[in-house]
Amino acid sequence: MVEVYIDGASAGNPGPSGAGIFIKRENGEVNRHTIPLGTMSNHEAEYYALLHALDICIHEGITTVSFRTDSQLIDAAIEKRYVKNQTYKPLLDEALAKIEQLELFFMKWVPSKQNRADELSKRAIQLNQTTE
């Protein structure tokens, strides 16, 4: 099963934001993605990291995945298929629609220290300054 680590980060809330995605395939191959997201809140950055990772999986034909996130907000929203803050409902709905395109999807919460995408998301914040 392919492991996908995701993380969103912001320098300020809102502030320059980035998404980090770390994909480890069954054959051991690793892909790292750093995606500048512009200015947004940390929670929005977490959702966009999830959406970008799902897009990558769908585009590359990866249909059996185990996602890891250090965001309790994202983990709970996916598990319950519900968000209390309606600001995030369109993002959750989009993520759930993408998840439906996969054969098998798991989401697991991990501590930040175990999230292989953590450093990538911080690097992605820096890319905002070079792309503006």
Side-chain angles (χ1 to χ4, degrees):
M1 180 174 300
V2 175
E3 292 180 9
V4 179
Y5 292 79
I6 59 170
D7 193 36
S10 295
N13 204 15
S17 301
I21 302 164
F22 179 97
I23 300 172
K24 183 178 177 189
R25 298 175 189 270
E26 294 169 293
N27 65 5
E29 179 185 333
V30 170
N31 298 105
R32 294 172 180 85
H33 302 267
T34 53
I35 304 165
L37 298 173
T39 301
M40 62 180 60
S41 73
N42 187 63
H43 291 320
E44 288 172 303
E46 296 282 5
Y47 271 103
Y48 281 102
L50 170 64
L51 292 170
H52 280 289
L54 288 166
D55 284 341
I56 291 167
C57 290
I58 291 165
H59 178 74
E60 295 184 8
I62 301 169
T63 58
T64 304
V65 293
S66 178
F67 270 55
R68 309 282 200 277
T69 181
D70 59 17
S71 170
Q72 293 177 341
L73 177 89
I74 296 293
D75 184 51
I78 295 298
E79 181 181 330
K80 296 175 183 175
R81 303 175 72 88
Y82 172 79
V83 289
K84 188 173 183 179
N85 185 334
Q86 293 302 297
T87 302
Y88 307 121
K89 185 170 182 353
L91 297 170
L92 175 61
D93 290 345
E94 185 178 346
L96 293 173
K98 291 174 191 271
I99 289 167
E100 290 298 318
Q101 297 178 51
L102 305 174
E103 289 178 30
L104 196 56
F105 174 89
F106 295 101
M107 173 74 75
K108 180 181 178 184
W109 179 84
V110 295
S112 292
K113 291 178 184 173
Q114 294 176 18
N115 190 343
R116 296 176 174 186
D118 184 68
E119 188 58 40
L120 298 171
S121 66
K122 291 175 182 150
R123 235 183 280 154
I125 291 172
Q126 307 294 317
L127 295 175
N128 283 295
Q129 297 165 354
T130 59
T131 58
E132 290 180 354

